[in-house]
Coordinates of all heavy atoms in Angstrom, one line a residue:
M1 N 14.9 7.2 13.6 CA 15.9 7.0 12.6 C 17.2 6.7 13.3 O 17.6 7.5 14.2 CB 16.0 8.3 11.8 CG 17.2 8.4 10.9 SD 17.2 7.4 9.4 CE 16.2 8.4 8.3
D2 N 17.9 5.7 12.9 CA 19.2 5.3 13.4 C 20.2 6.1 12.6 O 20.4 5.9 11.3 CB 19.5 3.9 13.3 CG 20.8 3.4 13.9 OD1 21.8 4.2 13.8 OD2 20.9 2.4 14.5
T3 N 20.9 7.1 13.1 CA 21.8 8.0 12.4 C 23.1 7.3 11.8 O 23.7 7.7 10.9 CB 22.2 9.2 13.2 OG1 22.8 8.8 14.4 CG2 21.0 10.1 13.5
L4 N 23.4 6.1 12.4 CA 24.6 5.4 12.0 C 24.3 4.4 10.8 O 25.0 4.4 9.9 CB 25.2 4.6 13.1 CG 25.7 5.4 14.3 CD1 26.2 4.6 15.4 CD2 26.8 6.3 13.8
T5 N 23.1 3.8 10.9 CA 22.8 2.8 9.8 C 21.8 3.3 8.8 O 21.7 2.7 7.7 CB 22.2 1.5 10.5 OG1 21.0 1.8 11.1 CG2 23.1 0.9 11.5
G6 N 21.1 4.4 9.2 CA 20.1 4.9 8.2 C 18.7 4.1 8.3 O 17.8 4.5 7.7
E7 N 18.7 3.1 9.2 CA 17.4 2.4 9.4 C 16.4 3.3 10.1 O 16.8 4.1 10.9 CB 17.6 1.1 10.2 CG 18.3 0.0 9.4 CD 18.3 -1.3 10.2 OE1 17.4 -1.6 11.0 OE2 19.3 -2.0 10.1
N8 N 15.1 3.1 9.7 CA 14.1 3.9 10.4 C 13.0 2.9 10.8 O 12.8 1.9 10.2 CB 13.6 5.0 9.5 CG 13.1 4.6 8.2 OD1 12.5 3.5 8.1 ND2 13.4 5.3 7.1
R9 N 12.2 3.3 11.8 CA 11.1 2.5 12.3 C 10.0 3.5 12.7 O 10.3 4.5 13.4 CB 11.6 1.7 13.5 CG 10.5 0.9 14.1 CD 11.1 -0.3 14.8 NE 10.1 -1.1 15.5 CZ 9.3 -1.9 14.9 NH1 9.4 -2.1 13.7 NH2 8.4 -2.6 15.7
L10 N 8.8 3.1 12.3 CA 7.7 3.9 12.7 C 7.2 3.5 14.1 O 7.1 2.3 14.4 CB 6.5 3.6 11.7 CG 5.3 4.4 11.8 CD1 5.6 5.9 11.6 CD2 4.2 4.0 10.8
L11 N 7.1 4.4 15.0 CA 6.9 4.1 16.4 C 5.4 4.1 16.7 O 4.9 3.4 17.6 CB 7.6 5.1 17.3 CG 9.1 5.2 17.1 CD1 9.7 6.3 18.0 CD2 9.7 3.8 17.5
R12 N 4.6 5.0 16.0 CA 3.2 5.1 16.3 C 2.4 5.5 15.1 O 2.8 6.3 14.3 CB 3.0 6.1 17.4 CG 1.6 6.4 17.8 CD 1.5 7.5 18.9 NE 0.1 7.9 19.0 CZ -0.3 8.6 20.0 NH1 0.5 8.9 21.0 NH2 -1.6 8.9 20.1
V13 N 1.2 5.0 15.0 CA 0.2 5.3 14.0 C -1.1 5.6 14.6 O -1.6 4.9 15.4 CB 0.1 4.2 12.9 CG1 -1.1 4.5 12.0 CG2 1.3 4.0 12.2
D14 N -1.7 6.7 14.2 CA -3.1 7.1 14.6 C -3.9 7.3 13.4 O -3.6 8.2 12.6 CB -3.1 8.3 15.5 CG -2.4 8.2 16.8 OD1 -2.9 7.3 17.6 OD2 -1.4 8.8 17.0
I15 N -5.0 6.5 13.2 CA -5.8 6.6 12.0 C -7.3 6.7 12.5 O -7.8 6.0 13.3 CB -5.7 5.3 11.1 CG1 -4.3 5.2 10.6 CG2 -6.6 5.4 10.0 CD1 -4.0 3.9 9.9
L16 N -8.0 7.7 11.9 CA -9.4 7.8 12.0 C -10.0 7.8 10.6 O -9.8 8.8 9.9 CB -9.8 9.0 12.8 CG -11.3 9.3 13.0 CD1 -11.9 8.1 13.8 CD2 -11.6 10.6 13.6
H17 N -10.6 6.7 10.2 CA -11.0 6.6 8.8 C -12.5 6.7 8.6 O -13.3 6.0 9.4 CB -10.5 5.2 8.3 CG -10.5 5.1 6.8 ND1 -9.4 5.5 6.1 CD2 -11.4 4.6 5.9 CE1 -9.7 5.3 4.8 NE2 -10.9 4.7 4.7
D18 N -13.0 7.5 7.7 CA -14.4 7.6 7.4 C -14.7 6.7 6.3 O -14.3 6.9 5.1 CB -14.7 9.1 7.0 CG -16.1 9.4 6.8 OD1 -16.9 8.4 6.8 OD2 -16.4 10.5 6.5
V19 N -15.5 5.6 6.6 CA -15.9 4.6 5.6 C -17.4 4.8 5.3 O -17.9 4.0 4.6 CB -15.6 3.2 6.1 CG1 -14.2 2.9 6.2 CG2 -16.4 2.8 7.3
G20 N -18.0 5.8 5.8 CA -19.4 6.0 5.6 C -20.1 5.1 6.6 O -19.6 4.8 7.7
K21 N -21.2 4.5 6.2 CA -21.9 3.5 7.1 C -21.3 2.1 6.8 O -21.5 1.5 5.8 CB -23.4 3.5 6.8 CG -24.2 2.6 7.7 CD -25.7 2.9 7.6 CE -26.5 1.9 8.4 NZ -26.2 1.8 9.8
S22 N -20.5 1.6 7.8 CA -19.8 0.4 7.6 C -20.8 -0.8 7.6 O -21.6 -1.0 8.5 CB -18.8 0.2 8.7 OG -18.1 -1.0 8.5
L23 N -20.7 -1.7 6.6 CA -21.5 -2.9 6.5 C -20.9 -4.0 7.4 O -21.5 -4.8 8.0 CB -21.7 -3.3 5.1 CG -22.4 -2.4 4.2 CD1 -22.4 -2.9 2.8 CD2 -23.8 -2.1 4.7
N24 N -19.6 -4.0 7.4 CA -18.8 -5.0 8.2 C -17.6 -4.3 8.8 O -16.5 -4.3 8.1 CB -18.4 -6.2 7.3 CG -17.9 -7.3 8.1 OD1 -17.3 -7.2 9.2 ND2 -18.2 -8.5 7.7
P25 N -17.6 -3.8 10.0 CA -16.5 -3.1 10.6 C -15.2 -3.9 10.7 O -14.1 -3.4 10.5 CB -17.0 -2.7 11.9 CG -18.5 -2.7 11.8 CD -18.8 -3.8 10.8
A26 N -15.3 -5.3 10.9 CA -14.1 -6.1 11.0 C -13.4 -6.1 9.7 O -12.1 -6.0 9.6 CB -14.5 -7.5 11.4
I27 N -14.1 -6.3 8.6 CA -13.5 -6.2 7.2 C -12.9 -4.9 6.9 O -11.8 -4.7 6.5 CB -14.4 -6.7 6.1 CG1 -14.8 -8.2 6.3 CG2 -13.9 -6.4 4.7 CD1 -15.8 -8.7 5.3
D28 N -13.7 -3.8 7.2 CA -13.2 -2.5 7.0 C -11.9 -2.2 7.8 O -10.9 -1.6 7.3 CB -14.2 -1.5 7.3 CG -15.4 -1.5 6.4 OD1 -15.3 -2.0 5.3 OD2 -16.5 -1.0 6.8
M29 N -11.8 -2.6 9.0 CA -10.7 -2.4 9.9 C -9.5 -3.2 9.3 O -8.4 -2.6 9.3 CB -10.9 -2.8 11.3 CG -9.8 -2.4 12.2 SD -9.4 -0.7 12.3 CE -10.9 -0.1 13.1
G30 N -9.7 -4.3 8.8 CA -8.6 -5.1 8.2 C -8.1 -4.4 7.0 O -6.9 -4.3 6.7
Q31 N -8.9 -3.8 6.2 CA -8.5 -3.1 5.0 C -7.7 -1.9 5.4 O -6.7 -1.5 4.7 CB -9.7 -2.7 4.1 CG -10.4 -3.9 3.5 CD -9.6 -4.5 2.4 OE1 -9.0 -3.8 1.6 NE2 -9.5 -5.8 2.5
I32 N -8.2 -1.2 6.4 CA -7.5 0.0 6.8 C -6.1 -0.3 7.3 O -5.1 0.4 7.0 CB -8.3 0.7 7.9 CG1 -9.6 1.3 7.4 CG2 -7.5 1.8 8.6 CD1 -10.7 1.7 8.4
E33 N -6.0 -1.3 8.1 CA -4.7 -1.7 8.7 C -3.7 -2.2 7.6 O -2.6 -1.8 7.6 CB -4.9 -2.8 9.7 CG -5.5 -2.3 11.0 CD -5.9 -3.5 12.0 OE1 -5.8 -4.6 11.6 OE2 -6.4 -3.1 13.1
A34 N -4.3 -3.0 6.7 CA -3.4 -3.5 5.6 C -2.9 -2.4 4.7 O -1.7 -2.3 4.3 CB -4.2 -4.5 4.8
A35 N -3.9 -1.4 4.4 CA -3.5 -0.3 3.5 C -2.5 0.6 4.1 O -1.5 1.1 3.4 CB -4.8 0.5 3.1
S36 N -2.6 0.9 5.4 CA -1.6 1.7 6.0 C -0.3 1.1 6.1 O 0.8 1.7 5.9 CB -2.1 2.2 7.4 OG -2.1 1.0 8.3
S37 N -0.2 -0.2 6.4 CA 1.0 -0.9 6.4 C 1.7 -0.9 5.0 O 2.9 -0.7 4.9 CB 0.8 -2.4 6.9 OG 0.3 -2.4 8.2
K38 N 0.9 -1.2 4.0 CA 1.5 -1.1 2.7 C 2.0 0.3 2.3 O 3.0 0.4 1.6 CB 0.4 -1.6 1.7 CG 1.0 -1.8 0.3 CD 0.1 -2.4 -0.7 CE 0.8 -2.5 -2.0 NZ 0.1 -2.8 -3.1
A39 N 1.2 1.3 2.6 CA 1.6 2.6 2.3 C 2.9 3.0 3.0 O 3.8 3.6 2.4 CB 0.5 3.6 2.7
W40 N 3.1 2.6 4.3 CA 4.3 2.9 5.0 C 5.5 2.1 4.4 O 6.5 2.7 4.1 CB 4.1 2.5 6.5 CG 5.5 2.4 7.2 CD1 6.0 1.3 7.8 CD2 6.4 3.5 7.5 NE1 7.2 1.7 8.4 CE2 7.5 3.1 8.2 CE3 6.3 4.9 7.1 CZ2 8.5 3.8 8.6 CZ3 7.4 5.7 7.6 CH2 8.5 5.1 8.2
A41 N 5.3 0.9 4.0 CA 6.3 0.1 3.4 C 6.7 0.7 2.0 O 7.9 0.8 1.7 CB 5.9 -1.3 3.2
G42 N 5.7 1.2 1.3 CA 5.9 1.7 0.0 C 6.7 3.1 0.1 O 7.5 3.4 -0.8
S43 N 6.4 3.8 1.2 CA 7.1 5.1 1.3 C 8.6 4.9 1.6 O 9.4 5.8 1.4 CB 6.5 5.9 2.4 OG 6.7 5.4 3.6
R44 N 9.0 3.7 2.1 CA 10.4 3.5 2.5 C 11.2 2.9 1.3 O 12.4 2.7 1.4 CB 10.4 2.5 3.7 CG 9.8 3.1 4.9 CD 9.7 2.1 6.0 NE 10.8 1.3 6.2 CZ 10.8 0.2 6.9 NH1 9.7 -0.3 7.4 NH2 11.9 -0.5 7.0
R45 N 10.5 2.6 0.2 CA 11.3 2.0 -0.9 C 12.2 3.0 -1.6 O 11.9 4.1 -1.7 CB 10.3 1.5 -2.0 CG 9.7 0.2 -1.6 CD 8.9 -0.4 -2.8 NE 7.5 -0.1 -2.4 CZ 6.5 0.0 -3.3 NH1 6.7 -0.2 -4.6 NH2 5.3 0.2 -2.9
K46 N 13.3 2.4 -2.1 CA 14.3 3.3 -2.8 C 14.6 2.6 -4.1 O 14.4 1.4 -4.3 CB 15.6 3.4 -2.0 CG 15.4 4.2 -0.8 CD 16.8 4.3 -0.1 CE 16.6 5.1 1.2 NZ 17.9 5.2 1.9
N47 N 15.0 3.4 -5.1 CA 15.4 2.8 -6.4 C 14.3 2.0 -7.0 O 14.6 0.9 -7.4 CB 16.7 2.0 -6.3 CG 17.8 2.9 -5.6 OD1 17.9 4.1 -5.9 ND2 18.6 2.2 -4.9
V48 N 13.1 2.5 -7.1 CA 12.0 1.8 -7.7 C 12.2 1.7 -9.2 O 11.9 0.7 -9.8 CB 10.6 2.4 -7.3 CG1 9.5 1.7 -8.0 CG2 10.5 2.4 -5.8
W49 N 12.6 2.8 -9.8 CA 12.8 2.9 -11.3 C 14.3 3.1 -11.6 O 15.0 3.8 -10.9 CB 12.1 4.0 -11.8 CG 10.6 4.0 -11.5 CD1 10.0 4.6 -10.5 CD2 9.6 3.3 -12.3 NE1 8.6 4.3 -10.5 CE2 8.4 3.5 -11.6 CE3 9.6 2.5 -13.4 CZ2 7.2 3.0 -12.0 CZ3 8.4 2.0 -13.8 CH2 7.2 2.2 -13.2
N50 N 14.8 2.5 -12.6 CA 16.2 2.7 -13.0 C 16.3 3.9 -13.9 O 15.3 4.5 -14.2 CB 16.9 1.4 -13.6 CG 16.3 1.1 -15.0 OD1 15.6 1.8 -15.6 ND2 16.7 -0.1 -15.5
D51 N 17.5 4.2 -14.4 CA 17.7 5.4 -15.3 C 17.0 5.3 -16.6 O 16.7 6.3 -17.2 CB 19.2 5.6 -15.5 CG 19.9 6.0 -14.2 OD1 19.3 6.5 -13.3 OD2 21.2 5.7 -14.2
K52 N 16.7 4.1 -17.1 CA 16.0 3.9 -18.3 C 14.5 3.9 -18.2 O 13.8 3.6 -19.1 CB 16.5 2.6 -19.0 CG 18.0 2.7 -19.4 CD 18.4 1.4 -20.0 CE 19.9 1.5 -20.3 NZ 20.4 0.3 -20.9
G53 N 14.0 4.0 -16.9 CA 12.5 4.0 -16.7 C 12.0 2.6 -16.5 O 10.8 2.4 -16.4
K54 N 12.9 1.6 -16.2 CA 12.4 0.2 -16.0 C 12.1 0.1 -14.5 O 12.9 0.5 -13.7 CB 13.5 -0.7 -16.5 CG 13.1 -2.2 -16.3 CD 14.1 -3.2 -16.7 CE 13.6 -4.6 -16.5 NZ 14.7 -5.6 -16.6
L55 N 11.0 -0.6 -14.3 CA 10.6 -0.8 -12.9 C 11.5 -1.9 -12.3 O 11.7 -3.0 -12.9 CB 9.1 -1.3 -12.8 CG 8.6 -1.7 -11.5 CD1 8.5 -0.4 -10.6 CD2 7.2 -2.3 -11.6
M56 N 12.2 -1.6 -11.2 CA 13.1 -2.5 -10.6 C 12.5 -3.3 -9.5 O 13.1 -4.3 -9.1 CB 14.3 -1.7 -10.0 CG 15.1 -0.8 -11.0 SD 15.7 -1.8 -12.4 CE 17.0 -2.7 -11.5
T57 N 11.3 -3.0 -9.1 CA 10.7 -3.8 -8.0 C 9.5 -4.5 -8.6 O 8.3 -4.3 -8.2 CB 10.3 -2.9 -6.8 OG1 9.4 -1.8 -7.4 CG2 11.4 -2.3 -6.2
H58 N 9.7 -5.4 -9.5 CA 8.7 -6.1 -10.3 C 8.2 -7.4 -9.7 O 7.3 -8.0 -10.1 CB 9.1 -6.3 -11.7 CG 10.4 -7.1 -11.8 ND1 10.4 -8.5 -11.7 CD2 11.7 -6.8 -11.9 CE1 11.6 -8.9 -11.7 NE2 12.4 -7.9 -11.9
A59 N 8.9 -7.9 -8.6 CA 8.6 -9.2 -8.0 C 8.9 -9.2 -6.6 O 9.7 -8.4 -6.1 CB 9.3 -10.3 -8.8
P60 N 8.3 -10.1 -5.8 CA 8.6 -10.2 -4.4 C 10.1 -10.3 -4.1 O 10.6 -10.0 -3.0 CB 7.8 -11.4 -3.9 CG 6.7 -11.5 -4.9 CD 7.3 -11.0 -6.2
S61 N 10.9 -10.9 -5.0 CA 12.3 -11.0 -4.8 C 13.1 -9.7 -4.9 O 14.2 -9.6 -4.5 CB 12.9 -12.0 -5.8 OG 12.7 -11.6 -7.1
T62 N 12.4 -8.7 -5.4 CA 13.2 -7.4 -5.7 C 12.7 -6.3 -4.8 O 13.1 -5.1 -5.0 CB 13.0 -7.0 -7.2 OG1 11.6 -6.9 -7.5 CG2 13.7 -8.1 -8.1
Y63 N 11.8 -6.5 -3.9 CA 11.4 -5.4 -3.0 C 11.1 -6.0 -1.6 O 10.9 -7.2 -1.5 CB 10.2 -4.6 -3.5 CG 8.9 -5.3 -3.6 CD1 8.0 -5.3 -2.5 CD2 8.5 -5.9 -4.8 CE1 6.8 -5.9 -2.6 CE2 7.3 -6.6 -4.9 CZ 6.5 -6.6 -3.8 OH 5.3 -7.2 -3.8
K64 N 11.1 -5.2 -0.6 CA 10.9 -5.6 0.7 C 9.4 -5.7 1.0 O 8.7 -4.7 1.0 CB 11.6 -4.7 1.7 CG 11.4 -5.1 3.2 CD 12.1 -4.1 4.1 CE 12.0 -4.6 5.6 NZ 10.7 -4.8 6.1
I65 N 8.9 -6.9 1.2 CA 7.5 -7.1 1.6 C 7.3 -6.7 3.1 O 8.1 -7.1 3.9 CB 7.1 -8.5 1.3 CG1 7.3 -8.9 -0.1 CG2 5.7 -8.8 1.8 CD1 7.1 -10.3 -0.5
P66 N 6.3 -5.9 3.4 CA 6.0 -5.6 4.8 C 5.8 -6.9 5.6 O 5.1 -7.8 5.2 CB 4.8 -4.7 4.8 CG 4.5 -4.5 3.4 CD 5.3 -5.4 2.5
V67 N 6.4 -6.9 6.8 CA 6.2 -8.1 7.7 C 5.7 -7.5 9.0 O 5.6 -6.3 9.3 CB 7.5 -8.8 7.9 CG1 8.0 -9.5 6.6 CG2 8.6 -7.9 8.5
A68 N 5.3 -8.5 10.0 CA 4.7 -8.1 11.2 C 5.6 -7.1 12.0 O 5.1 -6.3 12.7 CB 4.4 -9.3 12.0
S69 N 6.9 -7.3 11.9 CA 7.8 -6.4 12.7 C 7.8 -5.0 12.1 O 8.3 -4.1 12.8 CB 9.2 -7.0 12.7 OG 9.7 -7.1 11.4
D70 N 7.3 -4.8 11.0 CA 7.2 -3.4 10.4 C 6.0 -2.6 11.0 O 6.0 -1.4 10.9 CB 7.0 -3.4 8.9 CG 8.2 -3.9 8.2 OD1 9.3 -3.7 8.7 OD2 8.1 -4.5 7.1
V71 N 5.1 -3.3 11.6 CA 3.9 -2.6 12.2 C 4.4 -1.9 13.5 O 5.1 -2.5 14.3 CB 2.8 -3.6 12.5 CG1 1.6 -2.9 13.3 CG2 2.3 -4.3 11.3
P72 N 4.1 -0.7 13.7 CA 4.5 0.0 14.9 C 4.0 -0.6 16.2 O 2.9 -1.2 16.2 CB 4.0 1.5 14.7 CG 2.9 1.3 13.8 CD 3.2 0.2 12.9
A73 N 4.7 -0.4 17.3 CA 4.3 -0.9 18.6 C 2.9 -0.4 19.0 O 2.1 -1.0 19.6 CB 5.3 -0.6 19.6
E74 N 2.7 0.9 18.6 CA 1.4 1.6 19.0 C 0.7 1.9 17.7 O 1.0 2.7 17.0 CB 1.7 2.8 19.8 CG 0.5 3.4 20.5 CD 0.8 4.6 21.4 OE1 2.0 4.8 21.7 OE2 -0.1 5.2 21.7
F75 N -0.4 1.0 17.4 CA -1.1 1.2 16.2 C -2.6 1.4 16.6 O -3.3 0.5 17.1 CB -1.0 -0.1 15.4 CG -1.6 0.0 14.0 CD1 -0.7 0.3 12.9 CD2 -3.0 -0.1 13.8 CE1 -1.2 0.5 11.7 CE2 -3.5 0.0 12.5 CZ -2.6 0.3 11.4
N76 N -3.0 2.7 16.5 CA -4.4 3.1 16.9 C -5.2 3.4 15.6 O -4.9 4.3 14.9 CB -4.3 4.3 17.8 CG -3.5 4.1 19.0 OD1 -3.6 3.2 19.7 ND2 -2.5 5.0 19.2
A77 N -6.2 2.5 15.4 CA -7.0 2.8 14.2 C -8.5 2.7 14.6 O -8.8 1.8 15.4 CB -6.7 1.8 13.1
R78 N -9.3 3.6 14.1 CA -10.7 3.6 14.5 C -11.5 3.9 13.2 O -11.0 4.7 12.4 CB -11.0 4.6 15.5 CG -10.6 4.2 16.9 CD -11.2 5.1 17.9 NE -12.0 6.2 17.4 CZ -12.1 7.4 18.0 NH1 -11.5 7.7 19.1 NH2 -12.8 8.4 17.4
I79 N -12.7 3.5 13.2 CA -13.7 3.8 12.1 C -14.5 5.0 12.6 O -15.0 4.9 13.7 CB -14.5 2.7 11.7 CG1 -13.7 1.6 11.0 CG2 -15.6 3.1 10.8 CD1 -14.4 0.3 10.7
Y80 N -14.6 6.1 11.9 CA -15.4 7.3 12.3 C -16.8 6.9 12.2 O -17.4 6.5 11.2 CB -15.1 8.4 11.3 CG -15.8 9.7 11.5 CD1 -15.6 10.4 12.7 CD2 -16.6 10.2 10.6 CE1 -16.3 11.5 13.0 CE2 -17.3 11.4 10.8 CZ -17.1 12.1 12.1 OH -17.8 13.2 12.3
E81 N -17.4 6.9 13.4 CA -18.8 6.4 13.6 C -19.9 7.2 12.9 O -20.9 6.7 12.5 CB -19.1 6.3 15.1 CG -18.2 5.2 15.8 CD -18.5 3.8 15.3 OE1 -19.6 3.5 14.9 OE2 -17.5 3.1 15.4
S82 N -19.6 8.5 12.8 CA -20.7 9.4 12.3 C -20.5 9.7 10.8 O -20.9 10.7 10.3 CB -20.7 10.8 13.0 OG -21.0 10.5 14.4
G83 N -19.8 8.8 10.1 CA -19.5 9.0 8.7 C -20.6 8.6 7.8 O -20.5 7.7 7.0
I84 N -21.6 9.5 7.7 CA -22.7 9.3 6.8 C -22.6 10.5 5.8 O -22.7 11.6 6.2 CB -24.1 9.3 7.5 CG1 -24.1 8.1 8.4 CG2 -25.2 9.3 6.5 CD1 -25.4 8.0 9.3
N85 N -22.5 10.1 4.5 CA -22.4 11.1 3.5 C -23.7 11.6 3.1 O -24.5 10.9 2.4 CB -21.6 10.5 2.3 CG -21.4 11.6 1.2 OD1 -21.8 12.7 1.3 ND2 -20.7 11.1 0.2
A86 N -24.1 12.8 3.5 CA -25.4 13.3 3.2 C -25.6 13.7 1.7 O -26.7 13.8 1.2 CB -25.7 14.6 4.0
E87 N -24.5 13.7 1.0 CA -24.5 14.1 -0.4 C -24.7 12.8 -1.3 O -24.9 12.9 -2.5 CB -23.2 14.8 -0.9 CG -23.0 16.1 -0.1 CD -24.1 17.1 -0.4 OE1 -24.5 17.2 -1.5 OE2 -24.4 17.8 0.6
D88 N -24.6 11.6 -0.7 CA -24.8 10.4 -1.4 C -26.2 10.3 -1.9 O -27.1 10.2 -1.1 CB -24.4 9.2 -0.5 CG -24.6 7.9 -1.2 OD1 -24.8 7.8 -2.4 OD2 -24.7 6.9 -0.4
P89 N -26.4 10.2 -3.3 CA -27.8 10.2 -3.7 C -28.5 8.9 -3.4 O -29.7 9.0 -3.1 CB -27.6 10.3 -5.2 CG -26.2 9.9 -5.5 CD -25.4 10.2 -4.3
F90 N -27.9 7.8 -3.3 CA -28.6 6.6 -2.9 C -29.0 6.6 -1.4 O -30.1 6.2 -1.0 CB -27.7 5.4 -3.2 CG -27.4 5.2 -4.6 CD1 -26.1 5.4 -5.1 CD2 -28.4 4.8 -5.5 CE1 -25.8 5.3 -6.4 CE2 -28.1 4.7 -6.8 CZ -26.8 4.9 -7.3
F91 N -28.1 7.1 -0.6 CA -28.4 7.3 0.8 C -29.6 8.3 1.0 O -30.5 8.1 1.8 CB -27.2 7.8 1.6 CG -27.5 8.1 3.1 CD1 -27.6 7.0 3.9 CD2 -27.6 9.3 3.5 CE1 -27.9 7.2 5.3 CE2 -27.9 9.6 4.9 CZ -28.0 8.5 5.7
A92 N -29.5 9.4 0.3 CA -30.6 10.4 0.4 C -31.9 9.8 0.0 O -32.9 10.1 0.7 CB -30.2 11.6 -0.5
R93 N -32.0 9.0 -1.0 CA -33.2 8.4 -1.5 C -33.7 7.4 -0.4 O -35.0 7.4 -0.1 CB -33.0 7.7 -2.8 CG -33.0 8.6 -3.9 CD -33.0 7.8 -5.2 NE -32.1 8.5 -6.1 CZ -31.2 7.9 -6.9 NH1 -31.2 6.6 -7.0 NH2 -30.4 8.6 -7.6
R94 N -32.9 6.7 0.2 CA -33.3 5.7 1.2 C -33.8 6.5 2.5 O -34.8 6.1 3.0 CB -32.1 4.8 1.7 CG -31.8 3.8 0.6 CD -30.8 2.7 1.2 NE -29.6 3.3 1.7 CZ -28.5 3.4 1.0 NH1 -28.4 2.9 -0.3 NH2 -27.4 3.9 1.5
Q95 N -33.2 7.6 2.8 CA -33.6 8.3 4.0 C -35.0 9.0 3.7 O -35.8 8.9 4.6 CB -32.6 9.4 4.3 CG -31.3 9.0 4.9 CD -31.5 8.4 6.3 OE1 -31.8 7.2 6.4 NE2 -31.5 9.3 7.2
S96 N -35.2 9.5 2.5 CA -36.5 10.2 2.2 C -37.6 9.1 2.1 O -38.7 9.4 2.6 CB -36.4 11.0 1.0 OG -36.1 10.2 -0.1
A97 N -37.3 7.9 1.7 CA -38.3 6.9 1.5 C -38.7 6.3 2.9 O -39.8 6.0 3.2 CB -37.8 5.7 0.7
S98 N -37.7 6.3 3.8 CA -38.0 5.8 5.2 C -38.8 6.8 6.0 O -39.4 6.4 7.0 CB -36.7 5.4 5.9 OG -35.9 6.5 6.1
R99 N -38.8 8.0 5.7 CA -39.5 9.1 6.4 C -41.0 9.1 6.0 O -41.8 9.8 6.7 CB -38.8 10.4 6.2 CG -37.5 10.5 6.8 CD -36.9 11.9 6.7 NE -35.6 11.9 7.1 CZ -34.6 12.7 6.7 NH1 -34.9 13.6 5.8 NH2 -33.4 12.7 7.2
R100 N -41.3 8.5 4.9 CA -42.7 8.6 4.5 C -43.6 7.7 5.3 O -43.4 6.9 6.0 CB -42.8 8.1 3.0 CG -42.1 9.1 2.1 CD -42.3 8.6 0.7 NE -41.3 9.3 -0.1 CZ -41.0 9.0 -1.3 NH1 -41.5 7.9 -1.9 NH2 -40.1 9.7 -2.0

C-alpha cells in the first residue's frame, strides 16, 4: 500500500485448489487463475452502488477491468492432486463397479 496515493498492489498469491479429479488440468488452471484475478480486482472496487441502490459499475467504461499488470509478480497456483471426493455418489458407483 502506498500511503501517499492509496494505491495498492498484490505482491504474491498462493493457491492450492481442489477440483476433484481433473479432466483437463490446463483448462482448470486457466479457470483458477482467471477467477483469482477477477476476485482480487473485485475486492478493490469502490462505490459499486450509489445511495439510491443503483449499480454504478454496469459497463466496462464504469469499472476497472483487470489487466496483466494487476497479476502479482509471484503467482503460485497448483491443483490439489489427491482431490477425490469419496462422498460423490457417481464416483463411488464407478469405484465399486471397477472392483468387481
Side-chain angles (χ1 to χ4, degrees):
M1 167 76 82
D2 185 326
T3 57
L4 296 176
T5 65
E7 286 188 35
N8 56 39
R9 180 154 174 79
L10 187 61
L11 301 176
R12 176 180 168 164
V13 170
D14 294 297
I15 298 172
L16 179 61
H17 196 84
D18 184 355
V19 298
K21 184 168 174 56
S22 179
L23 298 176
N24 190 328
I27 290 176
D28 292 339
M29 188 58 70
Q31 291 292 314
I32 293 165
E33 291 171 353
S36 67
S37 296
K38 184 171 184 195
W40 167 244
S43 70
R44 295 172 45 199
R45 280 188 257 160
K46 294 181 180 177
N47 305 325
V48 176
W49 304 93
N50 70 8
D51 294 337
K52 296 179 182 177
K54 181 180 177 190
L55 180 63
M56 300 302 292
T57 55
H58 58 80
S61 61
T62 58
Y63 67 90
K64 183 181 182 302
I65 298 172
V67 294
S69 62
D70 291 331
V71 177
E74 194 172 344
F75 192 96
N76 305 307
R78 286 190 358 210
I79 294 174
Y80 181 60
E81 296 296 328
S82 299
I84 297 174
N85 184 357
E87 301 299 320
D88 175 17
F90 298 110
F91 176 75
R93 282 188 222 139
R94 286 190 301 264
Q95 287 292 93
S96 62
S98 66
R99 289 183 187 153
R100 292 181 194 166

